């Protein structure tokens, strides 16, 4: 268990590096430039997302060092940070898409797909707080959610804008989920959440890639984008 927690902590450090690389060209390399200006919603989301990733790094490492009290304190802090993270996603999604209606109905699906999975994973982790295996898996999935937006940009940055970055990214996510699921199964720990997360991603990516029209989603997207919650428009 000690080795497992250390591995998880270091894995999230890789996620942090991936986020920095993916958003380096479009954001991090510019923020110290006095002439650089961007929307508040981007700064807000970037800051709170980084805080969340730092929490994901710290939690398993605190467990590995036996600092249970600090781990629980950080867990309580996450009760505040997580809702703010969700709000930052909603605000940024609205701000970026409200001026591009109705085309934005399709692009808006992407952040909401991530927000839905993020919420399910975190709530599951909190509910299963006394069951370390399920709690750990739920928190890991909240980190996996960040891989897609970061890795798509990182691959595009490294390959000078390759149009295949999205396909490479989702393929790697599928392989990661398969690996995690098989590892849990081989350890004799039964069914994990990873196969269900893989199915969720497959369905969502199918909708995105083939531009499947879902009436209920379109109605919700129209309502959401009509709300005056950002300075878009």
């Amino acid at each position: 268990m000690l080795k497992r927690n250390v591995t998880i902590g270091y894995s999230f450090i890789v996620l942090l590096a991936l986020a920095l690389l993916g958003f380096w060209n479009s954001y991090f390399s510019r923020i110290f430039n006095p002439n650089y200006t961007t929307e508040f919603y981007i700064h807000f989301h970037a800051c709170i997302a980084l805080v969340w990733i730092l929490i994901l790094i710290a939690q398993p490492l605190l467990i590995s060092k036996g600092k249970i009290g600090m781990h629980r304190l950080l867990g309580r802090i996450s009760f505040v940070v997580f809702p703010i993270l969700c709000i930052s996603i909603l605000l940024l999604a609205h701000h970026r898409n409200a001026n591009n209606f109705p085309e934005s109905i399709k692009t808006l699906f992407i952040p909401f797909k991530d927000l839905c999975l993020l919420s399910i994973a975190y709530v599951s982790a909190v509910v299963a707080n006394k069951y370390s295996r399920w709690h750990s898996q739920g928190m890991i999935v909240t980190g996996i959610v960040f891989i897609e937006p970061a890795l798509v940009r990182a691959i595009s940055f490294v390959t000078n804008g390759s149009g295949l970055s999205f396909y490479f990214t989702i393929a790697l996510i599928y392989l990661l989920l398969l690996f995690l699921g098989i590892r849990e199964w081989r350890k004799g720990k039964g069914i994990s959440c990873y196969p269900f997360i893989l199915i969720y991603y497959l369905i969502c990516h199918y909708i995105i890639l083939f531009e499947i029209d879902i009436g209920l989603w379109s109605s919700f997207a129209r309502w959401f984008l009509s709300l005056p919650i950002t300075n878009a428009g």
Side-chain angles (χ1 to χ4, degrees):
M1 181 62 71
L2 175 63
K3 183 178 179 181
R4 174 185 172 87
N5 284 319
V6 172
T7 301
I8 293 172
Y10 288 157
S11 297
F12 286 131
I13 292 176
V14 174
L15 175 60
L16 176 60
L18 182 64
L20 292 173
L21 175 62
F23 291 93
W24 178 257
N25 191 45
S26 62
Y27 182 72
F28 290 108
S29 65
R30 304 180 182 183
I31 57 177
F32 297 109
N33 184 339
N35 296 321
Y36 174 64
T37 58
T38 189
E39 296 88 350
F40 159 79
Y41 308 103
I42 294 177
H43 289 309
F44 180 43
H45 176 64
C47 289
I48 198 65
L50 284 175
V51 170
W52 185 255
I53 294 175
L54 291 175
I55 289 175
L56 293 179
I57 292 171
Q59 286 292 65
L61 294 179
L62 288 171
I63 286 289
S64 70
K65 294 181 180 298
K67 297 183 178 180
I68 308 300
M70 286 293 294
H71 174 84
R72 290 175 178 169
L73 175 61
L74 207 53
R76 295 188 187 99
I77 293 174
S78 78
F79 294 159
V80 177
V81 175
F82 184 79
I84 297 174
L85 174 63
C86 293
I87 291 171
S88 76
I89 295 172
L90 287 171
L91 290 176
L92 185 58
H94 184 278
H95 180 73
R96 282 183 166 175
N97 291 282
N99 289 329
N100 194 31
F101 186 84
E103 290 79 5
S104 54
I105 289 177
K106 296 177 181 178
T107 57
L108 187 66
F109 182 81
I110 297 174
F112 267 88
K113 173 259 297 180
D114 293 338
L115 180 61
C116 181
L117 180 55
L118 193 66
S119 301
I120 292 172
Y122 179 72
V123 171
S124 299
V126 171
V127 171
N129 185 46
K130 295 183 179 180
Y131 302 94
S132 60
R133 174 172 167 260
W134 286 98
H135 175 74
S136 175
Q137 288 183 17
M139 294 305 290
I140 288 172
V141 172
T142 68
I144 291 175
V145 172
F146 288 90
I147 293 178
E148 184 178 315
L151 189 55
V152 166
R153 289 168 174 81
I155 294 176
S156 181
F157 174 68
V158 171
T159 59
N160 293 319
S162 171
L164 298 177
S165 58
F166 180 72
Y167 297 96
F168 283 128
T169 296
I170 63 176
L172 288 172
I173 291 174
Y174 298 161
L175 289 173
L176 173 61
L177 290 169
L178 281 171
F179 168 77
L180 292 172
I182 292 172
R183 187 182 67 172
E184 292 291 311
W185 175 73
R186 291 186 65 181
K187 289 183 178 179
K189 295 184 177 180
I191 298 176
S192 67
C193 71
Y194 302 119
F196 301 102
I197 303 304
L198 177 58
I199 293 171
Y200 175 88
Y201 268 120
L202 286 169
I203 293 172
C204 290
H205 290 146
Y206 177 82
I207 293 172
I208 293 168
L209 291 173
F210 293 95
E211 299 184 352
I212 305 300
D213 183 25
I214 302 174
L216 184 61
W217 164 254
S218 297
S219 298
F220 170 81
R222 288 189 180 92
W223 169 80
F224 174 75
L225 294 174
S226 70
L227 296 175
I229 58 177
T230 70
N231 60 8

